[in-house]
Amino acid sequence: MGGSESAAFSLQDVRNWNAALKEKRPKMVALFVGGTSGIGEHAAKRLASAIKLPTIYIIGRSQTARNAVIEDLDRINANGSYMFKHCDISDLGSVDTLCKEIAAQEAAVDLLFLTAGALGFGKQDTKAGIDLNHMLRYYSRMRFVHNLIPLLENSEDARVVSVFGAGKEGPIEEDNLDLKKKFSFSASNSYPATMTSVLFEVLAAKHPTISFIHEFPGFVATPLLKHALGSVTGSIMSLFMKPMMMTGSESGEWSVFLSTSSSFPSKGRSASKENFSRKESRIARSSTGRVGDGVYLLNYNGKDVTKQSLMEQLRVAGFPLIVEKHTLETYRVILS
Ligand SMILES: NC(=O)c1ccc[n+]([C@@H]2O[C@H](COP(=O)([O-])OP(=O)(O)OC[C@H]3O[C@@H](n4cnc5c(N)ncnc54)[C@H](OP(=O)(O)O)[C@@H]3O)[C@@H](O)[C@H]2O)c1
């Protein structure tokens, strides 16, 4: 299999890849922001079983989930190191403190896997005055990326995966990026999706040793609905939707594949012929339209879901710089 490829992978391709990971990547340091539940938890568990010597950080708030997840990880692979870090990531100051702690413990981070979030139906302001979902889906996640760039750059094969809404991007307005001027349910989904995809293009160009993936995870059976609607209604809804949902363990397979596959290389890795065998994998087309350009907007199964004309319109209108400046300025204001 050579050359560019934007088609989906099969579950068998993915299982084969993951089964061979023990030889390809014997060690990895991975952070799961949102690893106490759902997609993040399943990804962490599958990675623990796929790697000989994993170092895994689980980040979240739930103490009960923390105990269960860490115990499970220990059972899955007793040779790994597993740490829970308590953090309410809607507070950017806590994100900064946690990132400093991690920088004191690790020289490099190979994978930053971002899933923290909730299903919010209405506006709920954080202390910073930004809607909670917008904060969790965009600002907090990007703060982890921003803070951990040096550690990611120390990795030989670094990747950031944000699991949210690739392919769900839409038009955005420069004076409403924080959704303070005008808020709607649909904007609370499309704005963080669009801003993530735009910022990842900027970051992939600036940091060519890191691969950036924004993913739509499909519909996965997780406690997301229970967390949003309460135990009774959430369980009824989950039961009703079960036939349409993939299992957590299948989601874990896809997540580990997207987090490690050589089909989604960083820009630098893709250009460096001696480091990377193109024959080994089919290299995906980036959202920029170029093959292996370090930024990928993907469905859970690796299918490119880039809205080419929208992304081009956003580039032409200057949104890469606008979104980057807005994000840094928002951090400055919130953290000052
Ligand atoms: N499941 C799906 O079918 C689906 C489909 C499309 C998109 N998504 C998106 O994928 C992401 C993950 O979904 P999921 O199904 O895995 O949800 P989930 O099972 O409810 O897990 C959400 C995770 O986010 C963490 N989290 C929430 N608020 C947090 C906060 N303030 N600080 C720190 N951690 C926080 C939770 O940890 P604690 O409770 O321990 O803090 C938990 O680990 C969400 O953004 C969701 O919108 C999911």
Side-chain angles (χ1 to χ4, degrees):
M1 292 182 287
S4 99
E5 183 59 67
S6 58
F9 292 80
S10 75
L11 189 54
Q12 196 52 50
D13 291 336
V14 165
R15 290 203 163 114
N16 292 344
W17 174 269
N18 292 345
L21 262 185
K22 277 198 169 64
E23 302 311 317
K24 290 183 209 280
R25 298 282 297 266
K27 282 179 171 184
M28 263 180 93
V29 176
L31 265 63
F32 291 86
V33 180
T36 52
S37 174
I39 296 168
E41 176 186 348
H42 287 287
K45 287 179 178 171
R46 184 63 189 100
L47 191 76
S49 67
I51 301 284
K52 274 185 193 154
L53 293 170
T55 299
I56 291 181
Y57 287 84
I58 299 289
I59 295 156
R61 297 161 305 169
S62 162
Q63 195 66 28
T64 332
R66 161 249 158 108
N67 295 338
V69 175
I70 299 289
E71 271 172 29
D72 282 351
L73 290 169
D74 266 325
R75 229 186 341 261
I76 289 167
N77 181 351
N79 295 318
S81 302
Y82 310 111
M83 273 76 59
F84 171 75
K85 295 282 179 190
H86 181 276
C87 185
D88 179 346
I89 73 155
S90 66
D91 175 5
L92 295 183
S94 302
V95 172
D96 284 4
T97 306
L98 173 59
C99 290
K100 280 188 196 133
E101 240 178 79
I102 289 165
Q105 280 170 285
E106 303 294 339
V109 166
D110 302 304
L111 173 66
L112 177 58
F113 195 85
L114 301 156
T115 56
L119 193 60
F121 297 103
K123 192 169 189 301
Q124 194 187 334
D125 274 344
T126 54
K127 271 192 291 182
I130 291 175
D131 168 59
L132 177 64
N133 273 302
H134 200 20
M135 189 63 116
L136 297 177
R137 291 165 179 169
Y138 180 71
Y139 296 99
S140 305
R141 293 184 185 199
M142 295 309 122
R143 187 71 187 169
F144 273 98
V145 180
H146 176 86
N147 288 342
L148 296 173
I149 287 275
L151 294 195
L152 289 159
E153 286 185 330
N154 286 346
S155 161
E156 280 177 18
D157 192 358
R159 191 160 298 179
V160 175
V161 180
S162 189
V163 177
F164 181 56
K168 315 292 175 203
E169 298 84 355
I172 48 178
E173 288 169 10
E174 183 176 351
D175 60 353
N176 191 37
L177 292 178
D178 54 13
L179 295 176
K180 284 186 183 173
K181 193 173 141 204
K182 222 175 349 160
F183 179 90
S184 66
F185 175 69
S186 94
S188 75
N189 284 293
S190 67
Y191 269 61
T194 312
M195 290 162 72
T196 300
S197 295
V198 168
L199 191 70
F200 274 7
E201 286 195 356
V202 174
L203 294 174
K206 282 193 174 173
H207 305 283
T209 61
I210 307 170
S211 161
F212 293 86
I213 295 179
H214 179 198
E215 178 205 344
F216 177 71
F219 294 102
V220 186
T222 71
L224 183 71
L225 285 171
K226 268 203 252 174
H227 290 157
L229 303 170
S231 196
V232 177
T233 317
S235 300
I236 295 168
M237 287 289 287
S238 298
L239 203 64
F240 183 66
M241 292 181 71
K242 203 172 172 192
M244 291 169 273
M245 288 178 151
M246 81 173 85
T247 61
S249 70
E250 183 182 332
S251 165
E253 292 285 356
W254 291 111
S255 294
V256 168
F257 175 71
L258 292 191
S259 299
T260 56
S261 166
S262 54
S263 291
F264 311 107
S266 65
K267 194 181 171 81
R269 199 169 170 78
S270 152
S272 152
K273 305 267 190 313
E274 66 278 10
N275 279 339
F276 190 76
S277 161
R278 279 170 185 267
K279 281 191 198 128
E280 198 186 309
S281 67
R282 36 193 208 192
I283 302 176
R285 186 177 61 169
S286 284
S287 61
T288 54
R290 290 183 288 273
V291 172
D293 211 21
V295 53
Y296 308 91
L297 309 184
L298 305 173
N299 200 14
Y300 69 92
N301 56 5
K303 187 177 188 315
D304 175 18
V305 289
T306 307
K307 291 178 166 175
Q308 289 291 347
S309 75
L310 173 76
M311 291 302 288
E312 182 55 20
Q313 280 166 30
L314 292 167
R315 280 181 218 116
V316 169
F319 274 102
L321 191 59
I322 293 168
V323 169
E324 186 190 29
K325 273 180 71 176
H326 161 81
T327 307
L328 294 176
E329 178 57 14
T330 303
Y331 293 153
R332 194 191 61 73
V333 171
I334 292 177
L335 291 162
S336 64

